[in-house]
């Protein structure tokens, strides 16, 4: 939980990165295609080795919304060949390459992005393409691409699977549709489980951190069960572009789904602290995303991040208006309700969990959020969680190893005490944050998201290394 001034000073991510080719916002060329984009930008990043390379391509629609798209470009060198692609239907004729959208990423609202990629080979030089087109509209601009020096052997370049691997090895494949049973989160076998994972930072600032390579690392190297998608409502978030942010969230849910992780959709309210301020936005947003993902068994809805400065009765009122909107589309999904005082169960404003016990939300299959920052919130907060967990289903949807500002040194002693408690009580958690922001709570070192390496510990901060070590230990998912 964050007493003021918790995360009130967010800075935009600096643009421009070594290894990335960015083609900026552009003037549209005339077109007669009704579905043509009227502006576009592309970021093309490569990682090469002797004779081969992996390319990551982020496409942003800067014009009118499109429903179905084709990206086109040409390889500058005749020896460059497309060998394997993902997240699009790829083809090559001569030097011309096209990528056609899939069913899940074909709709691009104005300002929306999607990430696709491929492996390639080359026999001569390996220059980056200098021009792209989206549905026939040219994306042009000044380009000065640079790529990492070639290595002698290729790194692992297995593309993300389009479906969870066989054998029930992913968290979702094992556990299936979750539900609340008593004070626990239970799997499809009715057995209590604990999900352990990471939260994104605000996707309006750190969207470049969530790509094929990083999410592969989270699923496979970290062995994360959960990816929490933090969609800020204010602070340059959803309220500035509802359609665009909804599209970004939907795309990230699809990415988590393909990797067999649970996706938590976080309606990230913080300032103002009264959730009723965003009631109509919440109804619109959750009606849209719950309709899109109703058939999935891996989506969890967090309907208000950190209410503060309001009574529990106000939060309850909000929840009882938003939950039916989700239930109309998705009757089975677990829904998480934020609690008073920055989701501290009221502790940070002098209350405790009994106000919820005495006046619970009138809905089923719900849990209550608890947040902590280990360097600031210690024994009295842990004692309250211990008491509350005997009476309420809790999920720690956000916590940090540092102080309540999200910065400072990682308090690994307090963090370990917290995680030991959560493990013992089988309370799931998402750590803040899987990002490369220059602050103590970030798991990735600053600049990591400008590159293509996310695995191992060399790219991790103190907090990141600690969390990776905790998350990647074997899960206990009983199936009988």
């Amino acid at each position: 939980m964050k007493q003021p001034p918790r995360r009130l000073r967010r800075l935009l991510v600096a643009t421009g990165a070594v290894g990335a080719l960015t083609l900026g916002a552009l003037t549209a060329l005339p077109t007669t295609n009704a579905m043509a984009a009227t502006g576009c930008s592309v970021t093309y990043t490569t990682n090469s080795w002797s004779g081969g390379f992996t390319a990551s391509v982020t496409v942003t629609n800067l014009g009118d919304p499109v429903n179905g798209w084709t990206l086109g470009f040409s390889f500058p060198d005749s020896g460059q060949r497309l060998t394997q692609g993902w997240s699009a239907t790829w083809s090559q004729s001569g030097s011309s390459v096209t990528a056609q959208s899939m069913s899940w990423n074909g709709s691009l609202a104005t300002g929306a992005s999607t990430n696709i990629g491929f492996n390639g080979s080359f026999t001569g030089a390996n220059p980056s393409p200098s021009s792209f087109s989206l549905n026939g509209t040219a994306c042009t601009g000044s380009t000065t691409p640079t790529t990492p020096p070639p290595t002698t052997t290729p790194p692992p370049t297995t593309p993300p699977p389009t479906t969870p691997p066989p054998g029930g090895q992913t968290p979702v494949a094992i556990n299936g549709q979750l539900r609340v049973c008593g004070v626990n989160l239970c799997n499809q076998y009715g057995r209590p489980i604990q999900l352990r994972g990471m939260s994104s930072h605000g996707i309006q600032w750190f969207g470049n951190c969530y790509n094929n390579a990083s999410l592969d690392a989270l699923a496979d190297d970290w062995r994360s069960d959960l990816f929490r998608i933090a969609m800020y409502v204010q602070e340059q978030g959803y309220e500035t572009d509802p359609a665009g942010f909804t599209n970004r969230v939907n795309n990230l849910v699809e990415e988590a789904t393909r990797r067999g992780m649970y996706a938590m959709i976080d309606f990230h309210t913080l300032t103002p602290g009264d959730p009723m301020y965003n009631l109509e936005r919440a109804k619109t947003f959750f009606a849209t995303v719950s309709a899109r993902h109703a058939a999935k068994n891996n989506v969890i809805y967090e309907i208000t991040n950190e209410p503060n400065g309001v009574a529990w009765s106000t939060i309850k009122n909000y929840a009882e208006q938003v939950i039916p909107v989700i239930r109309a589309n998705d009757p089975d999904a677990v829904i998480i309700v934020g609690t008073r005082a920055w989701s501290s169960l009221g502790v940070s404003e002098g209350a405790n969990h009994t106000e919820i016990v005495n006046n619970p939300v009138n809905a089923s299959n719900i849990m209550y959020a608890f947040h902590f920052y280990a360097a600031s919130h210690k024994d009295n907060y842990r004692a309250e969680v211990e008491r509350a967990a005997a009476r309420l289903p809790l999920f720690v949807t956000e916590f940090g190893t540092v102080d309540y500002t999200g910065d400072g040194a990682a308090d690994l002693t307090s963090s370990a005490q917290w995680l030991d408690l959560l493990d013992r009580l089988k309370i799931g958690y998402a750590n803040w944050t899987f990002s490369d922001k220059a602050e103590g709570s970030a798991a990735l070192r600053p600049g990591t998201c400008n590159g293509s390496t996310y695995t191992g510990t060399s790219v991790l901060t103190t907090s990141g290394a600690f969390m990776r070590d905790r998350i990647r230990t074997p899960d206990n998912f009983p199936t009988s």
Side-chain angles (χ1 to χ4, degrees):
M1 67 294 316
K2 286 77 80 176
Q3 297 98 348
R6 170 77 178 101
R7 288 192 280 113
L8 300 184
R9 70 283 179 269
R10 296 305 185 198
L11 300 177
L12 290 174
V13 182
T15 58
V18 174
L21 162 61
T22 301
L23 310 178
L26 307 165
T27 304
L29 296 183
T31 178
T32 58
N33 184 347
M35 295 305 295
T38 54
C40 48
S41 69
V42 172
T43 301
Y44 180 95
T45 306
T46 62
N47 180 36
S48 61
W49 59 92
S50 179
F53 65 103
T54 293
S56 175
V57 188
T58 299
V59 184
T60 302
N61 177 25
L62 302 178
D64 296 333
V66 297
N67 185 14
W69 49 262
T70 298
L71 180 74
F73 63 90
S74 294
F75 282 131
D77 188 277
S78 61
Q80 293 173 299
R81 302 296 302 173
L82 170 74
T83 59
Q84 180 185 42
W86 50 90
S87 298
T89 301
W90 292 87
S91 62
Q92 180 176 355
S93 177
S95 62
S96 298
V97 178
T98 59
Q100 292 185 321
S101 59
M102 309 291 283
S103 60
W104 53 268
N105 65 359
S107 295
L108 286 181
T110 302
S113 300
T114 190
N115 181 265
I116 59 180
F118 66 92
N119 291 335
S121 63
F122 62 95
T123 56
N126 187 34
S128 297
S130 59
S131 62
F132 296 80
S133 65
L134 185 66
N135 284 4
T137 294
C139 304
T140 57
S142 174
T143 61
T144 54
T146 58
T147 59
T151 59
T152 56
T153 57
T157 55
T158 302
T162 55
T163 58
Q169 297 306 303
T170 71
V172 175
I174 296 169
N175 294 295
Q177 179 65 59
L178 306 178
R179 63 183 178 88
V180 179
C181 53
V183 295
N184 295 114
L185 181 65
C186 291
N187 63 12
Q188 63 182 331
Y189 304 102
R191 300 295 301 276
I193 65 167
Q194 178 197 38
L195 298 181
R196 301 175 297 172
M198 296 295 293
S199 175
S200 76
H201 206 300
I203 57 177
Q204 74 273 43
W205 298 307
F206 291 88
N208 65 325
C209 288
Y210 313 114
N211 54 58
N212 281 331
S214 66
L215 295 177
D216 282 350
L218 187 62
D220 301 330
D221 183 48
W222 287 59
R223 302 171 198 164
S224 180
D225 310 320
L226 171 75
F227 179 49
R228 179 191 190 229
I229 303 161
M231 186 200 71
Y232 279 71
V233 183
Q234 277 70 54
E235 300 183 63
Q236 302 159 0
Y238 175 82
E239 67 178 3
T240 69
D241 180 12
F245 276 92
T246 300
N247 185 273
R248 292 192 211 182
V249 169
N250 285 338
N251 285 343
L252 289 173
V253 170
E254 300 291 354
E255 295 294 342
T257 302
R258 276 192 300 283
R259 292 165 173 82
M261 292 188 289
Y262 287 91
M264 182 179 290
I265 299 176
D266 164 32
F267 196 70
H268 200 89
T269 55
L270 178 63
T271 305
D274 184 353
M276 298 300 286
Y277 180 84
N278 287 303
L279 177 61
E280 294 308 314
R281 294 184 184 95
K283 288 180 177 180
T284 299
F285 173 74
F286 283 112
T288 303
V289 296
S290 63
R292 166 75 175 261
H293 304 296
K296 295 181 174 66
N297 62 356
N298 67 315
V299 180
I300 300 169
Y301 300 94
E302 182 182 2
I303 62 174
T304 179
N305 168 60
E306 290 191 340
N308 58 87
V310 296
W312 166 247
S313 60
T314 299
I315 304 167
K316 177 178 184 288
N317 181 19
Y318 166 87
E320 290 176 354
Q321 294 189 64
V322 175
I323 290 171
V325 173
I326 299 173
R327 289 282 179 252
N329 294 318
D330 193 342
D332 301 321
V334 172
I335 297 173
I336 302 176
V337 180
T339 60
R340 186 147 77 92
W342 300 277
S343 285
S344 70
L345 296 170
V347 178
S348 291
E349 290 175 349
N352 59 56
H353 76 282
T354 59
E355 66 182 11
I356 304 173
V357 172
N358 295 332
N359 189 23
V361 172
N362 183 23
S364 61
N365 208 27
I366 66 168
M367 307 186 82
Y368 297 94
F370 182 79
H371 293 181
F372 68 86
Y373 281 76
S376 297
H377 309 118
K378 299 190 177 182
D379 289 344
N380 61 320
Y381 287 85
R382 284 190 281 267
E384 179 61 17
V385 167
E386 182 97 44
R387 290 187 291 265
R391 307 179 73 180
L392 295 172
L394 301 179
F395 202 113
V396 175
T397 59
E398 179 182 318
F399 77 94
T401 62
V402 296
D403 68 31
Y404 71 88
T405 66
D407 206 354
D411 186 336
L412 299 186
T413 298
S414 179
S415 296
Q417 291 174 328
W418 270 113
L419 295 189
D420 289 347
L421 173 67
L422 300 183
D423 290 352
R424 175 166 57 84
L425 297 174
K426 283 191 176 294
I427 295 175
Y429 61 74
N431 175 251
W432 185 269
T433 60
F434 193 63
S435 78
D436 65 351
K437 184 173 183 182
E439 66 178 9
S441 60
L444 305 173
R445 294 182 183 273
T448 298
C449 297
N450 294 332
S452 58
T453 300
Y454 296 88
T455 57
T457 58
S458 64
V459 296
L460 302 181
T461 63
T462 298
S463 181
F466 172 80
M467 288 310 310
R468 175 180 176 271
D469 184 62
R470 294 292 302 224
I471 290 172
R472 75 194 308 263
T473 55
D475 288 301
N476 178 18
F477 292 148
T479 58
S480 61

